[in-house]
């Protein structure tokens, strides 16, 4: 099974051939080495990428041409988002073990729809159990991997919908929402939650807005209690945050859960990256752990492809009410019978055919353990605080909000245009930040969630900020 590239180019057709493995594996190895070795010197982002226009190839261009194009035109225009100084949005970077696992996922190409033909289903189930343990949640939480936190929030919306239906003797999955009398309450939901409330039929514009506490994105629990009290809807759903994506505010989940119980409301908590706080258990000024009460939620969204540093396609949905999720996602079909060991994943999620997306998380937890994950989470939080304290003292920038977790919010000092400064920073290719809003004003966000980020990266970032500030004064 050994062929070299000259053989590949001499072929008179471009059809798949089992002799291609060796060639592609050796190319893959050298490309991987090259990409990883250059990761830290490569431009962190390609701000204006260009793909040559081209029509569909009739006979195929073949692998030699493919690899030429890949190396010359595509790879140089990729971002270094897996690297140590891509701080836009909330972006992790896959670790060596997680990346290896993802290669394995492609190699193995399992369909984790139902059990009965592979160990993959059991591995996904064990991964969920390990995550529940990692985050110190009760074992009554079960769930599954999704494509991302957005898909998890969608499952939260449909499960909550089914719960509301159950309160009103309507099987929403079967009968639809027409007769359902329900209200959704939220203070500062992630944009993806608003999107999924639209997808699930609640309507993006049909949210009862709860006040936030002053100068914070934290839900005002008293205001929530008041709104639930005065609502005439037969069913109520509360969407809470731990933490919000900009201010990293944690709602007071303990009290919110009590209020929800009192009003028989469903409580969903979007804890996409804030849940990693549980590995640090940092306290609020009044001595409570900030995510205390999370265990009382009816459902929880979390994201592996952020702070867990596994590749994309790693959202996680957890709920204490698997039967409602099952009712929402199961459809009876003769060729889709469940395998018998509890419901299969095709009856608990959006997709029927499913990528073996739990594997990178399984390998991560197997290999690095709780301490490994806690190591980079703690490190990133300290790095964010170091950056925040530099910004707070700097002449060129102004910290707009104290950094509690791993997101630093700031803007240029004085009246300088924030968007322009952000563009200049990203243009250096040494650092990548993303925009945000705070109190109606444009700001920049630096979110640090990468295992690879080191002191030298913080130093480089500070140099970039100093250089850009100098050109402005
Ligand atoms: C990132 C994020 C999401 C969306 O996650 P995707 O994985 O991008 O779909 C949802 N909620 C919160 C709080 C997030 O930070």
């Amino acid at each position: 099974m050994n062929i070299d590239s000259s053989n590949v180019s001499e072929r008179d057709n471009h059809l798949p051939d089992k002799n291609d493995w060796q060639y592609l594996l050796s190319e893959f190895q050298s490309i991987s080495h090259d990409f990883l070795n250059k990761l830290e010197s490569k431009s962190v982002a390609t701000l204006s990428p260009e793909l040559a226009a081209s029509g569909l190839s009739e006979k195929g261009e073949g692998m030699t041409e493919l690899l030429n194009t890949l190396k010359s035109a595509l790879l140089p225009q990729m971002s270094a988002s897996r690297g140590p100084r891509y701080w836009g949005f909330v972006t992790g970077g896959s670790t060596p073990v997680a990346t290896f696992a993802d290669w394995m996922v492609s190699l193995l190409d399992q369909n984790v729809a139902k059990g009965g033909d592979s160990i993959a289903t059991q591995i996904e189930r064990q991964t969920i159990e390990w995550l529940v343990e990692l985050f110190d949640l009760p074992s009554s939480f079960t769930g599954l991997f999704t494509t991302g936190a957005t898909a998890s929030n969608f499952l939260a919306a449909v499960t909550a919908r089914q719960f509301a239906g159950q309160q009103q003797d309507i099987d929403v999955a079967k009968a639809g929402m027409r007769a359902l009398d329900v209200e959704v309450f939220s203070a500062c939901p992630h944009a993806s939650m608003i999107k999924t409330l639209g997808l699930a039929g609640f309507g993006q514009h049909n949210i009862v807005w709860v006040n936030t506490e002053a100068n914070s994105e934290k839900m005002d629990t008293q205001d929530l209690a008041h709104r639930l009290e005065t609502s005439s809807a037969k069913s109520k759903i509360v969407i809470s945050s731990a933490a919000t994506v900009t201010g990293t505010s944690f709602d007071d989940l303990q009290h919110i859960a009590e209020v929800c119980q009192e009003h028989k409301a469903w409580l969903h908590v979007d804890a996409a990256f804030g849940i990693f706080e549980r590995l640090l258990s940092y306290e609020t000024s009044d001595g409570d752990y900030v995510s205390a009460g999370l265990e009382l939620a009816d459902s929880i969204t979390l994201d592996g492809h952020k702070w867990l540093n596994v590749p994309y396609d790693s959202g996680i949905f957890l709920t204490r009410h698997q039967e409602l999720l099952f009712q929402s996602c199961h459809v009876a079909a003769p060729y889709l019978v469940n395998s018998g060991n509890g419901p299969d994943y095709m009856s608990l999620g959006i997709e029927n055919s499913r990528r073996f997306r739990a594997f990178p998380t399984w390998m991560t937890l197997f290999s690095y353990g709780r301490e490994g994950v806690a190591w980079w989470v703690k490190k990133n939080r300290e790095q964010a605080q170091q950056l925040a304290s530099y910004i707070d003292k700097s002449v060129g920038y102004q910290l707009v909000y104290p950094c509690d977790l791993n997101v630093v919010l700031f803007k240029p000092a004085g009246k300088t245009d924030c968007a322009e400064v952000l563009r200049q920073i990203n243009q250096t290719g040494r650092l990548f930040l993303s925009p945000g809003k705070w109190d109606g004003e444009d700001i920049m966000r630096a979110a640090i969630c990468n295992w690879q980020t080191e002191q030298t990266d913080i130093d480089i970032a500070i140099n970039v900020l100093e250089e850009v500030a100098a050109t402005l004064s």
Side-chain angles (χ1 to χ4, degrees):
M1 187 169 122
N2 238 330
I3 59 163
D4 58 34
S5 54
S6 58
N7 277 350
V8 167
S9 57
E10 277 164 20
R11 281 218 218 121
D12 58 3
N13 68 51
H14 293 140
L15 302 176
D17 186 313
K18 64 184 176 191
N19 292 313
D20 297 344
W21 294 120
Q22 192 58 44
Y23 169 67
L24 288 173
L25 272 174
S26 67
E27 285 289 337
F28 178 69
Q29 185 164 15
S30 78
I31 289 169
S32 300
H33 271 299
D34 198 52
F35 189 75
L36 293 170
N37 286 335
K38 290 187 185 145
L39 188 64
E40 293 183 33
S41 53
K42 142 176 204 39
S43 183
V44 181
T46 302
L47 300 186
S48 316
E50 276 178 37
L51 182 65
S54 145
L56 171 71
S57 171
E58 203 55 47
K59 290 188 182 311
E61 304 301 316
M63 289 190 297
T64 311
E65 190 48 35
L66 171 69
L67 285 156
N68 286 341
T69 304
L70 175 66
K71 289 177 196 172
S72 64
L74 308 187
L75 290 175
Q77 298 195 83
M78 297 289 170
S79 73
S81 57
R82 68 174 305 132
R85 269 168 281 111
Y86 188 100
W87 296 348
F89 318 102
V90 182
T91 308
S94 184
T95 61
V97 162
T99 304
F100 170 76
D102 205 54
W103 297 338
M104 281 291 140
V105 172
S106 294
L107 174 71
L108 303 172
D109 208 13
Q110 305 290 290
N111 179 2
V112 196
K114 51 190 277 183
D117 66 351
S118 150
I119 197 173
T121 309
Q122 288 173 35
I123 292 176
E124 178 156 345
R125 203 153 282 158
Q126 186 167 66
T127 316
I128 295 287
E129 286 164 12
W130 285 354
L131 286 168
V132 165
E133 227 182 299
L134 177 71
F135 295 119
D136 208 10
L137 292 167
S139 58
S140 48
F141 278 97
T142 59
L144 76 167
F145 275 74
T146 62
T147 51
T150 305
S152 298
N153 280 336
F154 178 71
L155 290 180
V158 299
T159 312
R161 200 176 69 174
Q162 196 69 14
F163 163 80
Q166 193 179 54
Q167 289 181 320
Q168 299 171 40
D169 275 329
I170 304 167
D171 182 346
V172 176
K174 307 258 170 20
M177 290 187 77
R178 270 184 67 176
L180 199 66
D181 180 14
V182 60
E183 271 186 338
V184 179
F185 301 78
S186 194
C188 212
H190 190 266
S192 67
M193 192 71 236
I194 299 175
K195 168 167 148 179
T196 56
L197 287 169
L199 290 172
F202 292 99
Q204 291 187 12
H205 288 174
N206 208 13
I207 299 168
V208 179
W209 293 105
V210 179
N211 293 343
T212 56
E213 294 187 357
N215 192 33
S216 160
E217 291 177 331
K218 182 175 178 175
M219 186 185 283
D220 176 338
T221 311
Q222 279 196 329
D223 188 54
L224 173 70
H226 172 73
R227 285 174 200 270
L228 288 172
E229 187 71 49
T230 52
S231 164
S232 61
K234 287 187 187 143
S235 296
K236 297 155 186 118
I237 296 166
V238 175
I239 309 287
S240 201
S241 298
T244 58
V245 76
T246 303
T248 66
S249 304
F250 286 78
D251 291 345
D252 180 349
L253 298 172
Q254 197 91 49
H255 284 120
I256 288 175
E258 280 168 25
V259 170
C260 285
Q261 250 154 29
E262 196 178 314
H263 294 277
K264 299 190 170 51
W266 178 275
L267 174 60
H268 172 64
V269 182
D270 182 350
F273 68 99
I275 198 165
F276 288 87
E277 177 282 329
R278 296 205 139 204
L279 301 175
L280 311 173
S281 288
Y282 79 82
E283 295 175 22
T284 58
S285 46
D286 40 17
D288 274 343
Y289 292 119
V290 291
S291 71
L294 179 62
E295 62 283 352
L296 302 171
D298 292 294
S299 62
I300 303 172
T301 281
L302 54 138
D303 222 341
H305 56 225
K306 286 175 177 168
W307 227 348
L308 192 59
N309 281 241
V310 294
Y312 286 107
D313 220 37
S314 292
I316 297 118
F317 178 65
L318 299 175
T319 179
R320 293 193 283 117
H321 309 274
Q322 183 168 284
E323 71 290 351
L324 292 172
L325 180 62
F326 176 78
Q327 287 165 21
S328 305
C329 297
H330 177 68
V331 62
Y335 67 102
L336 295 177
V337 177
N338 276 265
S339 62
N341 310 322
D344 288 322
Y345 287 119
M346 65 177 183
S347 295
L348 294 173
I350 299 165
E351 307 98 350
N352 283 0
S353 302
R354 300 172 69 249
R355 185 173 167 81
F356 188 13
R357 54 172 77 97
F359 212 18
T361 297
W362 190 90
M363 284 205 190
T364 296
L365 297 177
F366 182 97
S367 175
Y368 301 129
R370 186 199 303 267
E371 281 186 18
V373 180
W375 168 75
W376 72 71
V377 168
K378 184 164 184 277
K379 168 172 99 157
N380 290 159
R381 181 171 180 234
E382 286 164 5
Q383 289 164 336
Q385 294 188 339
Q386 187 192 344
L387 182 71
S389 102
Y390 153 76
I391 286 166
D392 203 23
K393 291 192 202 103
S394 76
V395 178
Y397 301 92
Q398 187 190 333
L399 190 68
V400 299
Y401 197 64
C403 171
D404 281 332
L405 197 57
N406 63 329
V407 183
V408 184
L409 308 181
F410 64 109
K411 61 181 185 182
K415 295 207 180 318
T416 320
D417 178 22
C418 188
E420 174 54 22
V421 175
L422 177 61
R423 198 189 59 77
Q424 285 194 29
I425 291 168
N426 289 344
Q427 197 99 57
T428 66
R430 288 183 284 152
L431 179 64
F432 185 80
L433 307 177
S434 58
K437 286 260 187 210
W438 191 259
D439 253 352
E441 277 194 72
D442 287 339
I443 56 160
M444 293 178 267
R445 297 171 62 254
I448 308 182
C449 7
N450 189 302
W451 65 278
Q452 233 179 311
T453 306
E454 295 294 348
Q455 184 62 45
T456 47
D457 299 300
I458 307 299
D459 297 342
I460 291 171
I462 290 175
N463 281 339
V464 169
L465 293 176
E466 287 287 306
E467 279 170 34
V468 170
T471 66
L472 299 169
S473 54

